Amino acid sequence: MKWIVCQGYETMCQKAGEQFKAFLSQKPDGVLGLATGSSPLGLYDYFARQTAAGAMDFSRVTTFNLDEYVPMAEDHPQSYRYFMDHNLFSRINIDPGNTFVPKGEETLSCSEYDQMIRKRGGIDLQLLGVGHNGHIGFNEPGERLIAGTHITKLAPSTLSANARFFGEGERVPDKAVTMGMATIMSAKEILVLIGGRDKHPVVNALLDDGVTTHCPATFLKLHPRVTIYCDKEAYEG
Ligand code: F6R
């Protein structure tokens, strides 16, 4: 794993953005894996600014998002589809038909999502945030992790962390559909954003030598091409 420790959140997003920019200049029709949450917001601002300046071109890019709440209608303001449309897709020159977010209806076929990724040649560069409990996507800590895209129950700590995105009295859905560990690990390259002192315990788990289902992010140590962009607060605690 390669670590890039930055002074603050803005520098971290700038540096990560430069990696995406360099990647797309090499492969303009690349397949990106994307995340929601607060970690990527600065990076998505960078993409929007670069697109406006004509310095990044998403016209041939395909994207696959990690996860979505279940049950969740696509047009619901708390859906990850809505989040992506609002925070990124409407601000860059991407073809909406090439943006994929797992569907939050219980009837969906999860294996179909993995097949769609494979059909597009697999994910070239996967963006990840990391939960306080070490989850990636919504692969929550436990005795057992799941390989493919699947429906999962969210951990109580994830529900309380995500409550900040919901209004008062609004219930955070307690299930989600998420890419599985093998789906994520089969990306050719992975870029992780970790910011804030509260993520220091996860940074420690990534810095030591252990790999454990109780901190799913530690599986990233088994991947040959992972870069972690981290701010000083997260790194030093
Ligand atoms: C989001 C996702 C999650 C988040 C993680 C960190 O699509 O898959 O794993 O990346 O919960 O969230 P933030 O960035 O809000 O701290």
Side-chain angles (χ1 to χ4, degrees):
M1 283 198 290
K2 184 171 162 196
W3 285 81
I4 300 188
V5 183
C6 304
Q7 198 57 36
Y9 178 71
E10 247 173 59
T11 324
M12 177 175 117
C13 292
Q14 162 91 22
K15 295 235 176 287
E18 284 164 7
Q19 184 178 333
F20 273 95
K21 187 172 162 182
F23 166 73
L24 287 183
S25 69
Q26 293 292 311
K27 194 167 184 198
D29 60 348
V31 178
L32 304 180
L34 296 179
T36 60
S38 48
S39 305
L41 287 173
L43 177 66
Y44 294 164
D45 284 343
Y46 175 89
F47 289 169
R49 285 197 308 274
Q50 293 287 312
T51 304
M56 274 181 101
D57 176 14
F58 289 86
S59 59
R60 294 167 62 201
V61 168
T62 298
T63 64
F64 285 95
N65 262 76
L66 282 163
D67 39 27
E68 177 61 282
Y69 289 117
V70 170
M72 182 58 84
E74 278 191 331
D75 57 356
H76 191 286
Q78 298 295 356
S79 74
Y80 283 172
R81 161 54 74 180
Y82 186 95
F83 176 102
M84 291 308 298
D85 286 346
H86 182 76
N87 289 298
L88 182 64
F89 301 146
S90 61
R91 305 167 71 202
I92 58 175
N93 64 334
I94 197 161
D95 174 351
N98 286 336
T99 67
F100 299 94
V101 179
K103 291 200 194 300
E105 279 100 31
E106 301 242 24
T107 51
L108 88 166
S109 155
C110 293
S111 57
E112 221 170 85
Y113 198 65
D114 289 332
Q115 273 166 26
M116 268 160 53
I117 293 173
R118 278 195 294 272
K119 234 189 245 166
R120 300 252 172 172
I123 291 172
D124 293 305
L125 182 55
Q126 173 69 55
L127 171 67
L128 294 178
V130 178
H132 297 96
N133 63 0
H135 72 212
I136 50 176
F138 279 134
N139 294 278
E140 299 284 24
E143 292 302 316
R144 189 170 175 267
L145 296 171
I146 310 247
T149 296
H150 61 284
I151 292 179
T152 185
K153 212 166 160 30
L154 297 175
S157 62
T158 302
L159 294 178
S160 47
N162 289 2
R164 71 189 193 277
F165 298 113
F166 287 73
E168 254 194 39
E170 264 187 309
R171 198 180 138 267
V172 187
D174 62 356
K175 281 191 282 179
V177 50
T178 180
M179 283 185 194
M181 292 299 288
T183 321
I184 293 173
M185 295 290 282
S186 61
K188 296 171 189 98
E189 185 162 12
I190 298 179
L191 188 158
V192 191
L193 293 177
I194 311 180
R197 192 162 285 126
D198 50 332
K199 297 268 175 84
H200 182 61
V202 185
V203 168
N204 275 341
L206 288 170
L207 284 170
D208 79 20
D209 213 21
V211 175
T212 165
T213 59
H214 296 283
C215 182
T218 58
F219 276 71
L220 296 172
K221 295 172 197 178
L222 306 177
H223 193 287
R225 290 181 75 197
V226 176
T227 308
I228 301 185
Y229 292 86
C230 167
D231 68 9
K232 263 184 112 180
E233 289 195 340
Y235 196 77
E236 290 171 4

PDB file of all heavy atoms in Angstrom, residues 170-203:
ATOM      1  N   GLU A 170     -36.322  11.327  10.409  1.00  0.00           N
ATOM      2  CA  GLU A 170     -36.217  10.456   9.231  1.00  0.00           C
ATOM      3  C   GLU A 170     -35.439   9.200   9.625  1.00  0.00           C
ATOM      4  O   GLU A 170     -34.391   9.303  10.290  1.00  0.00           O
ATOM      5  CB  GLU A 170     -35.447  11.172   8.111  1.00  0.00           C
ATOM      6  CG  GLU A 170     -36.319  11.857   7.104  1.00  0.00           C
ATOM      7  CD  GLU A 170     -35.472  12.390   5.951  1.00  0.00           C
ATOM      8  OE1 GLU A 170     -34.482  13.090   6.214  1.00  0.00           O
ATOM      9  OE2 GLU A 170     -35.807  12.112   4.802  1.00  0.00           O
ATOM     10  N   ARG A 171     -35.930   8.059   9.191  1.00  0.00           N
ATOM     11  CA  ARG A 171     -35.299   6.797   9.565  1.00  0.00           C
ATOM     12  C   ARG A 171     -34.191   6.450   8.557  1.00  0.00           C
ATOM     13  O   ARG A 171     -34.400   6.543   7.349  1.00  0.00           O
ATOM     14  CB  ARG A 171     -36.387   5.717   9.559  1.00  0.00           C
ATOM     15  CG  ARG A 171     -36.035   4.471  10.303  1.00  0.00           C
ATOM     16  CD  ARG A 171     -37.176   3.458  10.244  1.00  0.00           C
ATOM     17  NE  ARG A 171     -36.637   2.140  10.009  1.00  0.00           N
ATOM     18  CZ  ARG A 171     -36.492   1.583   8.811  1.00  0.00           C
ATOM     19  NH1 ARG A 171     -36.885   2.212   7.742  1.00  0.00           N
ATOM     20  NH2 ARG A 171     -35.968   0.381   8.694  1.00  0.00           N
ATOM     21  N   VAL A 172     -33.011   6.079   9.039  1.00  0.00           N
ATOM     22  CA  VAL A 172     -31.944   5.622   8.141  1.00  0.00           C
ATOM     23  C   VAL A 172     -32.255   4.161   7.790  1.00  0.00           C
ATOM     24  O   VAL A 172     -32.441   3.353   8.703  1.00  0.00           O
ATOM     25  CB  VAL A 172     -30.551   5.682   8.838  1.00  0.00           C
ATOM     26  CG1 VAL A 172     -29.436   5.365   7.855  1.00  0.00           C
ATOM     27  CG2 VAL A 172     -30.324   7.027   9.497  1.00  0.00           C
ATOM     28  N   PRO A 173     -32.358   3.833   6.486  1.00  0.00           N
ATOM     29  CA  PRO A 173     -32.639   2.426   6.151  1.00  0.00           C
ATOM     30  C   PRO A 173     -31.583   1.517   6.780  1.00  0.00           C
ATOM     31  O   PRO A 173     -30.412   1.891   6.839  1.00  0.00           O
ATOM     32  CB  PRO A 173     -32.541   2.391   4.618  1.00  0.00           C
ATOM     33  CG  PRO A 173     -32.711   3.798   4.187  1.00  0.00           C
ATOM     34  CD  PRO A 173     -32.188   4.660   5.302  1.00  0.00           C
ATOM     35  N   ASP A 174     -31.986   0.339   7.273  1.00  0.00           N
ATOM     36  CA  ASP A 174     -30.996  -0.495   7.958  1.00  0.00           C
ATOM     37  C   ASP A 174     -30.425  -1.595   7.065  1.00  0.00           C
ATOM     38  O   ASP A 174     -29.702  -2.462   7.523  1.00  0.00           O
ATOM     39  CB  ASP A 174     -31.564  -1.069   9.264  1.00  0.00           C
ATOM     40  CG  ASP A 174     -32.750  -1.978   9.019  1.00  0.00           C
ATOM     41  OD1 ASP A 174     -33.179  -2.100   7.849  1.00  0.00           O
ATOM     42  OD2 ASP A 174     -33.250  -2.566   9.998  1.00  0.00           O
ATOM     43  N   LYS A 175     -30.764  -1.511   5.769  1.00  0.00           N
ATOM     44  CA  LYS A 175     -30.170  -2.474   4.833  1.00  0.00           C
ATOM     45  C   LYS A 175     -29.569  -1.724   3.645  1.00  0.00           C
ATOM     46  O   LYS A 175     -29.934  -0.578   3.368  1.00  0.00           O
ATOM     47  CB  LYS A 175     -31.234  -3.446   4.329  1.00  0.00           C
ATOM     48  CG  LYS A 175     -31.532  -4.530   5.349  1.00  0.00           C
ATOM     49  CD  LYS A 175     -32.379  -5.630   4.762  1.00  0.00           C
ATOM     50  CE  LYS A 175     -33.815  -5.206   4.683  1.00  0.00           C
ATOM     51  NZ  LYS A 175     -34.701  -6.204   4.103  1.00  0.00           N
ATOM     52  N   ALA A 176     -28.679  -2.399   2.938  1.00  0.00           N
ATOM     53  CA  ALA A 176     -28.076  -1.782   1.755  1.00  0.00           C
ATOM     54  C   ALA A 176     -27.685  -2.878   0.788  1.00  0.00           C
ATOM     55  O   ALA A 176     -27.515  -4.040   1.178  1.00  0.00           O
ATOM     56  CB  ALA A 176     -26.841  -0.983   2.152  1.00  0.00           C
ATOM     57  N   VAL A 177     -27.569  -2.498  -0.485  1.00  0.00           N
ATOM     58  CA  VAL A 177     -26.962  -3.397  -1.457  1.00  0.00           C
ATOM     59  C   VAL A 177     -25.557  -2.856  -1.681  1.00  0.00           C
ATOM     60  O   VAL A 177     -25.361  -1.646  -1.810  1.00  0.00           O
ATOM     61  CB  VAL A 177     -27.795  -3.476  -2.763  1.00  0.00           C
ATOM     62  CG1 VAL A 177     -28.139  -2.120  -3.320  1.00  0.00           C
ATOM     63  CG2 VAL A 177     -27.071  -4.302  -3.828  1.00  0.00           C
ATOM     64  N   THR A 178     -24.574  -3.750  -1.652  1.00  0.00           N
ATOM     65  CA  THR A 178     -23.176  -3.305  -1.756  1.00  0.00           C
ATOM     66  C   THR A 178     -22.359  -4.237  -2.634  1.00  0.00           C
ATOM     67  O   THR A 178     -22.617  -5.439  -2.679  1.00  0.00           O
ATOM     68  CB  THR A 178     -22.516  -3.230  -0.352  1.00  0.00           C
ATOM     69  OG1 THR A 178     -21.159  -2.786  -0.492  1.00  0.00           O
ATOM     70  CG2 THR A 178     -22.519  -4.559   0.376  1.00  0.00           C
ATOM     71  N   MET A 179     -21.395  -3.669  -3.337  1.00  0.00           N
ATOM     72  CA  MET A 179     -20.398  -4.519  -3.981  1.00  0.00           C
ATOM     73  C   MET A 179     -19.783  -5.369  -2.877  1.00  0.00           C
ATOM     74  O   MET A 179     -19.589  -4.897  -1.750  1.00  0.00           O
ATOM     75  CB  MET A 179     -19.250  -3.672  -4.557  1.00  0.00           C
ATOM     76  CG  MET A 179     -19.530  -2.960  -5.838  1.00  0.00           C
ATOM     77  SD  MET A 179     -17.966  -2.178  -6.372  1.00  0.00           S
ATOM     78  CE  MET A 179     -18.590  -1.066  -7.615  1.00  0.00           C
ATOM     79  N   GLY A 180     -19.446  -6.611  -3.194  1.00  0.00           N
ATOM     80  CA  GLY A 180     -18.810  -7.476  -2.195  1.00  0.00           C
ATOM     81  C   GLY A 180     -17.303  -7.277  -2.196  1.00  0.00           C
ATOM     82  O   GLY A 180     -16.752  -6.482  -2.963  1.00  0.00           O
ATOM     83  N   MET A 181     -16.642  -8.003  -1.310  1.00  0.00           N
ATOM     84  CA  MET A 181     -15.191  -7.846  -1.168  1.00  0.00           C
ATOM     85  C   MET A 181     -14.453  -8.227  -2.451  1.00  0.00           C
ATOM     86  O   MET A 181     -13.488  -7.569  -2.840  1.00  0.00           O
ATOM     87  CB  MET A 181     -14.691  -8.707  -0.005  1.00  0.00           C
ATOM     88  CG  MET A 181     -15.172  -8.234   1.346  1.00  0.00           C
ATOM     89  SD  MET A 181     -14.628  -6.562   1.748  1.00  0.00           S
ATOM     90  CE  MET A 181     -12.879  -6.828   2.064  1.00  0.00           C
ATOM     91  N   ALA A 182     -14.927  -9.292  -3.132  1.00  0.00           N
ATOM     92  CA  ALA A 182     -14.235  -9.697  -4.362  1.00  0.00           C
ATOM     93  C   ALA A 182     -14.497  -8.691  -5.479  1.00  0.00           C
ATOM     94  O   ALA A 182     -13.612  -8.423  -6.300  1.00  0.00           O
ATOM     95  CB  ALA A 182     -14.673 -11.096  -4.788  1.00  0.00           C
ATOM     96  N   THR A 183     -15.722  -8.130  -5.492  1.00  0.00           N
ATOM     97  CA  THR A 183     -16.027  -7.116  -6.506  1.00  0.00           C
ATOM     98  C   THR A 183     -15.043  -5.959  -6.347  1.00  0.00           C
ATOM     99  O   THR A 183     -14.450  -5.489  -7.326  1.00  0.00           O
ATOM    100  CB  THR A 183     -17.469  -6.578  -6.325  1.00  0.00           C
ATOM    101  OG1 THR A 183     -18.339  -7.639  -5.958  1.00  0.00           O
ATOM    102  CG2 THR A 183     -17.964  -5.880  -7.563  1.00  0.00           C
ATOM    103  N   ILE A 184     -14.865  -5.511  -5.110  1.00  0.00           N
ATOM    104  CA  ILE A 184     -13.965  -4.377  -4.851  1.00  0.00           C
ATOM    105  C   ILE A 184     -12.514  -4.765  -5.152  1.00  0.00           C
ATOM    106  O   ILE A 184     -11.790  -4.053  -5.841  1.00  0.00           O
ATOM    107  CB  ILE A 184     -14.097  -3.905  -3.382  1.00  0.00           C
ATOM    108  CG1 ILE A 184     -15.496  -3.310  -3.146  1.00  0.00           C
ATOM    109  CG2 ILE A 184     -13.011  -2.893  -3.030  1.00  0.00           C
ATOM    110  CD1 ILE A 184     -15.817  -2.962  -1.702  1.00  0.00           C
ATOM    111  N   MET A 185     -12.117  -5.934  -4.646  1.00  0.00           N
ATOM    112  CA  MET A 185     -10.708  -6.337  -4.787  1.00  0.00           C
ATOM    113  C   MET A 185     -10.327  -6.663  -6.222  1.00  0.00           C
ATOM    114  O   MET A 185      -9.149  -6.744  -6.549  1.00  0.00           O
ATOM    115  CB  MET A 185     -10.427  -7.545  -3.885  1.00  0.00           C
ATOM    116  CG  MET A 185     -10.547  -7.248  -2.411  1.00  0.00           C
ATOM    117  SD  MET A 185      -9.235  -6.199  -1.787  1.00  0.00           S
ATOM    118  CE  MET A 185      -7.907  -7.392  -1.661  1.00  0.00           C
ATOM    119  N   SER A 186     -11.348  -6.880  -7.095  1.00  0.00           N
ATOM    120  CA  SER A 186     -10.983  -7.191  -8.480  1.00  0.00           C
ATOM    121  C   SER A 186     -10.741  -5.916  -9.299  1.00  0.00           C
ATOM    122  O   SER A 186     -10.367  -5.999 -10.473  1.00  0.00           O
ATOM    123  CB  SER A 186     -12.030  -8.085  -9.143  1.00  0.00           C
ATOM    124  OG  SER A 186     -13.257  -7.412  -9.163  1.00  0.00           O
ATOM    125  N   ALA A 187     -10.905  -4.731  -8.693  1.00  0.00           N
ATOM    126  CA  ALA A 187     -10.535  -3.498  -9.394  1.00  0.00           C
ATOM    127  C   ALA A 187      -9.028  -3.535  -9.669  1.00  0.00           C
ATOM    128  O   ALA A 187      -8.255  -4.025  -8.850  1.00  0.00           O
ATOM    129  CB  ALA A 187     -10.876  -2.289  -8.534  1.00  0.00           C
ATOM    130  N   LYS A 188      -8.633  -2.994 -10.828  1.00  0.00           N
ATOM    131  CA  LYS A 188      -7.205  -3.067 -11.184  1.00  0.00           C
ATOM    132  C   LYS A 188      -6.379  -2.182 -10.257  1.00  0.00           C
ATOM    133  O   LYS A 188      -5.233  -2.471  -9.954  1.00  0.00           O
ATOM    134  CB  LYS A 188      -7.018  -2.663 -12.646  1.00  0.00           C
ATOM    135  CG  LYS A 188      -7.718  -3.661 -13.579  1.00  0.00           C
ATOM    136  CD  LYS A 188      -7.765  -3.196 -15.029  1.00  0.00           C
ATOM    137  CE  LYS A 188      -8.648  -4.117 -15.855  1.00  0.00           C
ATOM    138  NZ  LYS A 188     -10.008  -3.616 -16.060  1.00  0.00           N
ATOM    139  N   GLU A 189      -6.967  -1.092  -9.815  1.00  0.00           N
ATOM    140  CA  GLU A 189      -6.263  -0.170  -8.921  1.00  0.00           C
ATOM    141  C   GLU A 189      -7.274   0.442  -7.955  1.00  0.00           C
ATOM    142  O   GLU A 189      -8.435   0.650  -8.331  1.00  0.00           O
ATOM    143  CB  GLU A 189      -5.583   0.907  -9.761  1.00  0.00           C
ATOM    144  CG  GLU A 189      -4.740   1.822  -8.942  1.00  0.00           C
ATOM    145  CD  GLU A 189      -3.724   2.632  -9.756  1.00  0.00           C
ATOM    146  OE1 GLU A 189      -3.825   2.637 -10.997  1.00  0.00           O
ATOM    147  OE2 GLU A 189      -2.871   3.268  -9.128  1.00  0.00           O
ATOM    148  N   ILE A 190      -6.839   0.731  -6.736  1.00  0.00           N
ATOM    149  CA  ILE A 190      -7.756   1.260  -5.709  1.00  0.00           C
ATOM    150  C   ILE A 190      -7.163   2.523  -5.087  1.00  0.00           C
ATOM    151  O   ILE A 190      -5.951   2.584  -4.812  1.00  0.00           O
ATOM    152  CB  ILE A 190      -8.026   0.190  -4.624  1.00  0.00           C
ATOM    153  CG1 ILE A 190      -8.699  -1.041  -5.259  1.00  0.00           C
ATOM    154  CG2 ILE A 190      -8.906   0.745  -3.497  1.00  0.00           C
ATOM    155  CD1 ILE A 190      -9.003  -2.185  -4.308  1.00  0.00           C
ATOM    156  N   LEU A 191      -8.008   3.501  -4.900  1.00  0.00           N
ATOM    157  CA  LEU A 191      -7.602   4.775  -4.285  1.00  0.00           C
ATOM    158  C   LEU A 191      -8.521   5.007  -3.071  1.00  0.00           C
ATOM    159  O   LEU A 191      -9.742   4.979  -3.206  1.00  0.00           O
ATOM    160  CB  LEU A 191      -7.777   5.858  -5.353  1.00  0.00           C
ATOM    161  CG  LEU A 191      -7.279   7.265  -5.101  1.00  0.00           C
ATOM    162  CD1 LEU A 191      -7.064   7.981  -6.431  1.00  0.00           C
ATOM    163  CD2 LEU A 191      -8.217   8.043  -4.233  1.00  0.00           C
ATOM    164  N   VAL A 192      -7.926   5.215  -1.911  1.00  0.00           N
ATOM    165  CA  VAL A 192      -8.714   5.353  -0.678  1.00  0.00           C
ATOM    166  C   VAL A 192      -8.525   6.752  -0.094  1.00  0.00           C
ATOM    167  O   VAL A 192      -7.402   7.262  -0.038  1.00  0.00           O
ATOM    168  CB  VAL A 192      -8.254   4.318   0.385  1.00  0.00           C
ATOM    169  CG1 VAL A 192      -9.226   4.274   1.554  1.00  0.00           C
ATOM    170  CG2 VAL A 192      -8.093   2.933  -0.227  1.00  0.00           C
ATOM    171  N   LEU A 193      -9.632   7.372   0.333  1.00  0.00           N
ATOM    172  CA  LEU A 193      -9.570   8.680   0.991  1.00  0.00           C
ATOM    173  C   LEU A 193      -9.906   8.503   2.470  1.00  0.00           C
ATOM    174  O   LEU A 193     -10.966   7.958   2.801  1.00  0.00           O
ATOM    175  CB  LEU A 193     -10.614   9.622   0.391  1.00  0.00           C
ATOM    176  CG  LEU A 193     -10.448  10.070  -1.055  1.00  0.00           C
ATOM    177  CD1 LEU A 193     -11.638  10.926  -1.460  1.00  0.00           C
ATOM    178  CD2 LEU A 193      -9.151  10.852  -1.225  1.00  0.00           C
ATOM    179  N   ILE A 194      -9.001   8.963   3.342  1.00  0.00           N
ATOM    180  CA  ILE A 194      -9.289   8.876   4.785  1.00  0.00           C
ATOM    181  C   ILE A 194      -8.969  10.222   5.438  1.00  0.00           C
ATOM    182  O   ILE A 194      -7.814  10.663   5.443  1.00  0.00           O
ATOM    183  CB  ILE A 194      -8.464   7.776   5.491  1.00  0.00           C
ATOM    184  CG1 ILE A 194      -8.537   6.447   4.724  1.00  0.00           C
ATOM    185  CG2 ILE A 194      -8.965   7.582   6.923  1.00  0.00           C
ATOM    186  CD1 ILE A 194      -7.747   5.313   5.367  1.00  0.00           C
ATOM    187  N   GLY A 195      -9.993  10.873   5.960  1.00  0.00           N
ATOM    188  CA  GLY A 195      -9.773  12.176   6.578  1.00  0.00           C
ATOM    189  C   GLY A 195     -10.372  12.255   7.976  1.00  0.00           C
ATOM    190  O   GLY A 195     -11.387  11.628   8.266  1.00  0.00           O
ATOM    191  N   GLY A 196      -9.705  13.022   8.860  1.00  0.00           N
ATOM    192  CA  GLY A 196     -10.261  13.305  10.185  1.00  0.00           C
ATOM    193  C   GLY A 196      -9.719  12.389  11.264  1.00  0.00           C
ATOM    194  O   GLY A 196      -9.473  11.204  11.037  1.00  0.00           O
ATOM    195  N   ARG A 197      -9.545  12.996  12.461  1.00  0.00           N
ATOM    196  CA  ARG A 197      -8.963  12.278  13.605  1.00  0.00           C
ATOM    197  C   ARG A 197      -9.770  11.038  13.984  1.00  0.00           C
ATOM    198  O   ARG A 197      -9.232  10.023  14.425  1.00  0.00           O
ATOM    199  CB  ARG A 197      -8.893  13.251  14.792  1.00  0.00           C
ATOM    200  CG  ARG A 197      -8.080  12.766  15.945  1.00  0.00           C
ATOM    201  CD  ARG A 197      -7.683  13.903  16.876  1.00  0.00           C
ATOM    202  NE  ARG A 197      -6.630  14.726  16.315  1.00  0.00           N
ATOM    203  CZ  ARG A 197      -6.691  16.055  16.173  1.00  0.00           C
ATOM    204  NH1 ARG A 197      -7.748  16.704  16.554  1.00  0.00           N
ATOM    205  NH2 ARG A 197      -5.669  16.716  15.662  1.00  0.00           N
ATOM    206  N   ASP A 198     -11.100  11.122  13.787  1.00  0.00           N
ATOM    207  CA  ASP A 198     -11.957   9.997  14.189  1.00  0.00           C
ATOM    208  C   ASP A 198     -11.699   8.732  13.362  1.00  0.00           C
ATOM    209  O   ASP A 198     -12.146   7.649  13.733  1.00  0.00           O
ATOM    210  CB  ASP A 198     -13.447  10.403  14.139  1.00  0.00           C
ATOM    211  CG  ASP A 198     -13.827  11.062  12.838  1.00  0.00           C
ATOM    212  OD1 ASP A 198     -12.941  11.688  12.200  1.00  0.00           O
ATOM    213  OD2 ASP A 198     -14.985  10.927  12.417  1.00  0.00           O
ATOM    214  N   LYS A 199     -10.947   8.869  12.264  1.00  0.00           N
ATOM    215  CA  LYS A 199     -10.628   7.669  11.460  1.00  0.00           C
ATOM    216  C   LYS A 199      -9.251   7.093  11.825  1.00  0.00           C
ATOM    217  O   LYS A 199      -8.797   6.129  11.206  1.00  0.00           O
ATOM    218  CB  LYS A 199     -10.664   8.013   9.959  1.00  0.00           C
ATOM    219  CG  LYS A 199     -12.032   8.468   9.418  1.00  0.00           C
ATOM    220  CD  LYS A 199     -12.869   7.330   8.880  1.00  0.00           C
ATOM    221  CE  LYS A 199     -14.264   7.742   8.465  1.00  0.00           C
ATOM    222  NZ  LYS A 199     -14.373   8.301   7.132  1.00  0.00           N
ATOM    223  N   HIS A 200      -8.596   7.695  12.838  1.00  0.00           N
ATOM    224  CA  HIS A 200      -7.239   7.241  13.211  1.00  0.00           C
ATOM    225  C   HIS A 200      -7.183   5.736  13.568  1.00  0.00           C
ATOM    226  O   HIS A 200      -6.238   5.049  13.151  1.00  0.00           O
ATOM    227  CB  HIS A 200      -6.696   8.097  14.349  1.00  0.00           C
ATOM    228  CG  HIS A 200      -5.305   7.738  14.747  1.00  0.00           C
ATOM    229  ND1 HIS A 200      -4.224   7.822  13.866  1.00  0.00           N
ATOM    230  CD2 HIS A 200      -4.790   7.261  15.913  1.00  0.00           C
ATOM    231  CE1 HIS A 200      -3.140   7.422  14.489  1.00  0.00           C
ATOM    232  NE2 HIS A 200      -3.451   7.070  15.719  1.00  0.00           N
ATOM    233  N   PRO A 201      -8.176   5.200  14.293  1.00  0.00           N
ATOM    234  CA  PRO A 201      -8.112   3.761  14.605  1.00  0.00           C
ATOM    235  C   PRO A 201      -8.075   2.890  13.336  1.00  0.00           C
ATOM    236  O   PRO A 201      -7.375   1.877  13.299  1.00  0.00           O
ATOM    237  CB  PRO A 201      -9.398   3.511  15.405  1.00  0.00           C
ATOM    238  CG  PRO A 201      -9.754   4.845  15.981  1.00  0.00           C
ATOM    239  CD  PRO A 201      -9.295   5.863  14.973  1.00  0.00           C
ATOM    240  N   VAL A 202      -8.794   3.312  12.307  1.00  0.00           N
ATOM    241  CA  VAL A 202      -8.774   2.524  11.061  1.00  0.00           C
ATOM    242  C   VAL A 202      -7.397   2.642  10.405  1.00  0.00           C
ATOM    243  O   VAL A 202      -6.857   1.659   9.874  1.00  0.00           O
ATOM    244  CB  VAL A 202      -9.859   3.013  10.065  1.00  0.00           C
ATOM    245  CG1 VAL A 202      -9.914   2.128   8.843  1.00  0.00           C
ATOM    246  CG2 VAL A 202     -11.220   3.049  10.722  1.00  0.00           C
ATOM    247  N   VAL A 203      -6.817   3.851  10.456  1.00  0.00           N
ATOM    248  CA  VAL A 203      -5.467   4.040   9.897  1.00  0.00           C
ATOM    249  C   VAL A 203      -4.500   3.091  10.602  1.00  0.00           C
ATOM    250  O   VAL A 203      -3.695   2.411   9.962  1.00  0.00           O
ATOM    251  CB  VAL A 203      -5.022   5.524  10.039  1.00  0.00           C
ATOM    252  CG1 VAL A 203      -3.533   5.684   9.750  1.00  0.00           C
ATOM    253  CG2 VAL A 203      -5.845   6.409   9.113  1.00  0.00           C
TER     254      VAL A 203
END
